[in-house]
Amino acid sequence: MCAYNVRKNRSVDHEPASGAQRAGNRLRELGIWAVGIGAMYLVYWLARRFLF
């Protein structure tokens, strides 16, 4: 439906984030990356410690 609206209205359905909201989104994204990398390292560490 979103592609239909863009073709019909020639614009996106929402206004992109800007200012403080954009910075908050960036911080949240960086936090998600950090948690993901930390979880992968934890799995690596556990595997090295208990399997090898």
Side-chain angles (χ1 to χ4, degrees), residues 30-43:
L30 290 174
I32 291 169
W33 274 96
V35 168
I37 290 170
M40 287 191 292
Y41 181 75
L42 180 64
V43 169

Side-chain angles (χ1 to χ4, degrees), residues 9 14-15 20-21 31-33 37 39 44-46:
N9 301 331
H14 63 87
E15 292 295 322
Q21 187 178 12
I32 291 169
W33 274 96
I37 290 170
Y44 166 77
W45 181 79
L46 289 170

Side-chain angles (χ1 to χ4, degrees), residues 5-28:
N5 287 339
V6 169
R7 284 194 309 270
K8 182 175 181 266
N9 301 331
R10 305 281 187 226
S11 66
V12 294
D13 291 340
H14 63 87
E15 292 295 322
S18 62
Q21 187 178 12
R22 184 173 179 169
N25 289 345
R26 178 66 56 158
L27 285 175
R28 185 177 17 223

